[in-house]
């Protein structure tokens, strides 16, 4: 068991109060995002006899089950010239339908009639990626006007644009991943392919419609006078054309039928990850808020975090006295066996092996050569044993300087990056603090194939720390400006750069761009990671682990 040295002192209380206030403020903003286009538009949708996107999800999912929402902050601060697009106009997450976990994608028609913005497309593609990687059924609740035309050039033709969703439809179906769609509002033009390329489709009478061209375009193109229901309503597309499989009188009956059909799905084979009965940590998860510093530069003990995440606070540490700025080891989270890779932010020292046993002070959060070597070996070991990996990122990068370069830091860093990139066990990453430079890669950032990526409110993702970046950018700009710049102007420039960089370090900035799947309450990390591992276990395939050529 990890022993706790935490002191409930004034520093602890200050940290705890700060993070509780921060979580409350984020919660208020998230409540606003969940209201989509606002109360008036929600009321208009209800007046049409339609449930809202979130009401549809709630009705579809099992009563009392938890919905793990992903991408709530996507598009935050974007498209303001068009009135904004809360949550990118689409709700995405993991829900339980008739006992089966599933990815759910629901257009929010209160946001620009459910139109697709560029980040809407990115969010839907991410949902499909999760379904494909984890072999999880996916449900589309379609109510969308199609591409947001003023931005069509940013969403239509490229590889990661609108058409990729239909490409993914085809790949998911071919891989045997079940897809079900419900047409609960307009479904126009290219968007018509998404539900019809799904394995089974439903449509709601009176409100659902699907066609390649709406009545206005039909009139303009061929002169035919026809309304949308006669063109592509439920009766036409289900009973006449046979395009849709089932039609229903309203949203609730449609969702009830989908639940009945989901209950008939075969139970999938699961990955054989080690499980045991879950036990609570010996130390309360709520205490994490008193452990995490307010200032990201301040040290703290990584094992204090682990003592509040792991079952029974039990942790079998790997090479505890080697590569001390990286903490590696195995434990259990809610009954799931996990391998932990966590950056150590406390200041540690090590013997250099000199004649007198002199010591070198190490900087917390930095990956040294020995830490990288240790991390690479531990990742290899977890792949050999079939243990999923959980990365807790608070890293300022790899060590720099003449001594580090002579010691081969690039070679050792490359070895760790190679092992992480080629890892075949599920990887779940949580940004708990800093995530700078190549440290982001070595600790399994978004680019390195994590099944899920989450952030605490204390997270910051950037190529380097704010102060270093600000000083560097200011130096470059001042060098180009010559000697004519006054000290006051220099300070103003530095302050502007700091402000801009500080804004970019906010975890909402990362979440708005889908660099992370969600910003989570640190005290709920166990629940979120457990749910993520449950989802990952739906894919029993585990290819052979190979790292390729490594420098030794």
């Amino acid at each position: 068991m990890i022993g706790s040295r935490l002191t409930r002192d004034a520093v602890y209380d200050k940290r705890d109060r700060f993070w509780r206030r921060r979580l409350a403020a984020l919660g208020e903003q998230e409540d606003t995002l969940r209201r989509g286009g606002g109360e008036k538009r929600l009321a208009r949708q209800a007046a049409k006899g339609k449930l809202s996107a979130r009401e549809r999800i709630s009705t579809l999912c099992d009563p009392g089950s938890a919905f793990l929402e992903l991408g709530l902050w996507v598009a935050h601060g974007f498209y303001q010239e068009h009135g904004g697009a809360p949550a990118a106009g689409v709700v995405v997450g993991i829900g339980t339908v008739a006992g089966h976990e599933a990815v759910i994608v629901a257009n929010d028609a209160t946001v620009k009639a459910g139109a697709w913005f560029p980040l809407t497309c990115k969010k839907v593609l991410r949902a499909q990626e999760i379904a494909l990687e984890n072999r999880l059924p996916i449900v589309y609740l379609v109510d969308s006007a199609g591409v947001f035309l003023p931005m069509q050039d940013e969403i239509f033709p490229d590889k990661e644009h609108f058409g990729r969703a239909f490409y993914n439809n085809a790949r998911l179906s071919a891989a045997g991943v079940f897809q079900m769609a419900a047409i609960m509002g307009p479904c126009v033009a290219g968007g018509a392919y998404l539900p019809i390329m799904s394995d089974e489709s439903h449509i709601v009478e009176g409100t659902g419609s699907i066609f390649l061209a709406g009545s206005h375009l039909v009139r303009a193109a061929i002169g035919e006078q026809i309304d949308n229901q006669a063109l592509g309503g439920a009766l036409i597309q289900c009973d006449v054309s046979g395009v849709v499989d089932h039609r229903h009188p309203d949203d609730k009956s449609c969702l009830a039928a989908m639940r009945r059909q989901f209950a008939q799905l075969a139970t999938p084979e699961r990955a054989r990850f080690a499980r045991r009965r879950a036990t609570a940590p010996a130390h309360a998860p709520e205490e994490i808020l008193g452990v995490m510093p307010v200032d990201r530069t301040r040290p703290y003990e990584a094992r204090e975090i682990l003592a509040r995440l792991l079952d029974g606070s039990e942790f079998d540490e790997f090479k505890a006295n080697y590569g001390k700025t990286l903490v590696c080891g195995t434990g259990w989270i809610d009954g799931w066996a996990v391998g932990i890779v966590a950056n150590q932010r406390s200041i540690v020292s090590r013997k250099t092996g000199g004649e007198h046993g002199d010591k070198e002070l190490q900087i917390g959060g930095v990956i040294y050569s020995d830490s990288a070597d240790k991390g690479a070996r531990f990742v290899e070991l977890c792949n050999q044993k079939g243990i999923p990996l959980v990365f807790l990122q608070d890293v300022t990068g790899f060590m720099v300087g003449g001594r580090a370069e002579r010691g081969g830091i690039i070679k050792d860093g490359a070895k760790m990056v190679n092992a992480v990139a080629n890892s075949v066990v599920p990887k779940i990453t949580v940004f708990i603090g800093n995530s700078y430079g190549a440290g982001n890669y070595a600790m399994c950032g978004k680019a390195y194939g994590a099944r899920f990526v989450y952030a605490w409110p204390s997270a910051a993702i950037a190529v380097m720390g704010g102060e270093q970046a600000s000083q560097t950018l200011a130096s470059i700009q001042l060098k180009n400006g010559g000697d004519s710049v006054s000290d006051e102007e220099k300070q103003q420039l530095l302050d502007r750069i700091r402000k801009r960089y500080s804004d970019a370090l906010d975890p909402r900035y990362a979440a708005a761009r889908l660099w992370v799947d969600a910003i989570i309450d640190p005290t709920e990390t166990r629940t979120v990671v457990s749910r993520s591992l449950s989802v990952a276990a739906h894919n029993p395939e585990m290819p052979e682990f190979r790292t390729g050529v490594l420098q030794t």
Side-chain angles (χ1 to χ4, degrees):
M1 180 185 297
I2 308 173
S4 177
R5 299 179 181 178
L6 186 64
T7 303
R8 302 286 290 264
D9 55 11
V11 173
Y12 173 96
D13 291 339
K14 179 181 178 181
R15 292 173 174 178
D16 182 77
R17 285 194 304 270
F18 177 87
W19 291 120
R20 289 185 187 279
R21 286 195 301 267
R22 183 72 185 278
L23 286 167
L26 288 172
E28 289 179 4
Q29 288 182 286
E30 289 178 342
D31 287 343
T32 299
L33 291 173
R34 290 189 180 97
R35 289 195 288 272
E39 301 301 334
K40 288 184 179 179
R41 289 177 181 166
L42 285 166
R44 261 200 307 269
Q45 179 141 325
K48 296 176 184 177
K50 297 166 65 174
L51 300 175
S52 70
R54 294 179 185 280
E55 287 172 335
R56 287 167 176 166
I57 291 173
S58 179
T59 303
L60 178 67
C61 291
D62 294 352
S65 65
F67 179 67
L68 176 58
E69 184 163 0
L70 307 174
L72 175 60
W73 288 92
V74 172
H76 176 64
F78 282 76
Y79 315 130
Q80 297 306 306
E81 67 276 23
H82 301 295
V90 63
V91 183
V92 167
I94 310 295
T96 305
V97 182
H100 295 271
E101 286 185 304
V103 177
I104 302 174
V105 178
N107 298 115
D108 186 349
T110 70
V111 180
K112 294 291 188 295
W116 287 48
F117 289 81
L119 282 168
T120 312
C121 189
K122 186 174 183 178
K123 187 171 173 178
V124 172
L125 296 182
R126 173 63 179 143
Q128 292 178 318
E129 178 184 44
I130 290 170
L132 186 59
E133 276 190 325
N134 299 289
R135 297 298 188 267
L136 208 64
I138 183 167
V139 177
Y140 308 98
L141 304 179
V142 184
D143 191 347
S144 172
V147 168
F148 185 65
L149 290 177
M151 303 187 74
Q152 64 84 26
D153 59 325
E154 297 182 47
I155 191 172
F156 168 60
D158 211 344
K159 181 179 178 181
E160 300 301 327
H161 283 179
F162 195 48
R164 192 72 174 188
F166 320 135
Y167 171 88
N168 287 342
N169 276 142
R171 293 179 63 230
L172 283 158
S173 187
V177 178
F178 180 65
Q179 299 174 90
M180 181 180 282
I183 302 157
M184 311 185 86
C187 191
V188 187
Y193 287 104
L194 186 142
I196 303 309
M197 291 188 71
S198 298
D199 300 309
E200 193 165 14
S201 59
H202 299 252
I203 190 168
V204 177
E205 297 167 6
T207 55
S209 59
I210 180 168
F211 32 66
L212 292 182
S215 56
H216 295 295
L217 182 54
V218 167
R219 184 164 59 251
I222 63 174
E224 182 181 359
Q225 298 281 345
I226 188 170
D227 65 41
N228 284 341
Q229 283 299 312
L231 181 64
L235 187 65
I236 296 299
Q237 296 291 30
C238 192
D239 296 15
V240 178
S241 71
V243 167
V244 182
D245 301 318
H246 312 277
R247 63 181 171 92
H248 310 277
D250 52 42
D251 282 9
K252 288 185 178 179
S253 59
C254 176
L255 296 165
M258 296 172 76
R259 284 182 49 77
R260 290 195 300 272
Q261 291 167 358
F262 249 77
Q264 297 167 346
L265 288 179
T267 302
E269 182 184 354
R270 306 266 288 184
R272 295 191 299 273
F273 303 131
R275 284 291 321 253
R276 71 177 192 185
R277 184 176 60 84
T279 57
H283 306 283
E286 291 74 19
E287 293 178 345
I288 290 173
L289 302 180
V291 174
M292 285 303 295
V294 174
D295 182 346
R296 295 189 185 97
T297 67
R298 302 298 298 168
Y300 63 90
E301 171 57 57
R303 294 173 188 84
E304 295 289 1
I305 300 292
L306 297 180
R308 289 153 182 85
L309 293 180
L310 298 174
D311 289 13
S313 301
E314 297 174 358
F315 183 56
D316 291 321
E317 191 161 354
F318 178 76
K319 294 183 183 288
N321 296 311
Y322 175 73
K324 290 185 177 181
T325 61
L326 201 66
V327 176
C328 300
T330 54
W332 305 81
I333 291 181
D334 196 33
W336 294 95
V338 293
I340 299 289
V341 182
N343 300 111
Q344 174 63 288
R345 286 304 308 273
S346 65
I347 302 300
V348 298
S349 61
R350 64 175 180 178
K351 291 184 178 180
T352 62
E355 181 181 352
H356 303 291
D358 55 319
K359 293 184 177 182
E360 174 196 7
L361 189 66
Q362 289 195 301
I363 303 169
V366 175
I367 301 177
Y368 290 75
S369 283
D370 55 359
S371 303
D373 174 68
K374 169 179 166 178
R377 173 146 173 81
F378 182 70
V379 168
E380 291 175 323
L381 185 62
C382 285
N383 276 271
Q384 181 78 350
K385 297 167 74 174
I387 302 175
L389 286 159
V390 176
F391 292 83
L392 302 178
Q393 279 211 27
D394 192 347
V395 58
T396 52
F398 287 93
M399 189 57 189
V400 297
R403 180 172 186 151
E405 297 295 352
R406 288 191 295 274
I409 185 64
I410 298 175
K411 174 187 66 177
D412 292 318
K415 182 164 68 173
M416 183 175 178
V417 167
N418 195 316
V420 171
N422 285 293
S423 174
V424 297
V425 296
K427 297 171 288 190
I428 297 167
T429 299
V430 185
F431 295 100
I432 69 173
N434 302 309
S435 178
Y436 298 154
N440 172 283
Y441 305 153
M443 292 294 294
C444 197
K446 185 72 179 288
Y448 278 74
R451 296 283 184 96
F452 293 93
V453 185
Y454 302 106
W456 287 1
S458 48
I461 305 170
V463 72
M464 65 177 72
E467 188 59 34
Q468 300 96 312
S470 301
Q471 294 284 356
T472 302
L473 288 169
S475 297
I476 293 170
Q477 293 187 32
L478 290 170
K479 182 179 180 181
N480 293 335
D483 299 327
S484 59
V485 182
S486 68
D487 289 343
E488 183 180 355
E489 289 172 324
K490 289 179 183 178
Q491 188 60 49
Q492 288 175 349
L493 173 63
L494 186 58
D495 289 343
R496 285 197 303 272
I497 293 173
R498 280 175 177 156
K499 172 65 168 61
R500 189 171 70 245
Y501 212 84
S502 176
D503 291 343
L505 290 176
D506 191 298
R508 292 170 295 185
Y509 188 93
R513 289 154 178 79
L514 208 55
W515 298 349
V516 300
D517 292 314
I519 300 174
I520 63 172
D521 182 337
T523 67
E524 296 177 359
T525 304
R526 277 172 51 83
T527 301
V528 172
V529 169
S530 174
R531 186 70 178 276
S532 303
L533 289 168
S534 176
V535 168
H538 280 75
N539 186 353
E541 298 177 9
M542 199 176 300
E544 180 185 357
F545 173 66
R546 298 179 62 183
T547 57
V549 178
L550 296 177
Q551 292 192 36
T552 58

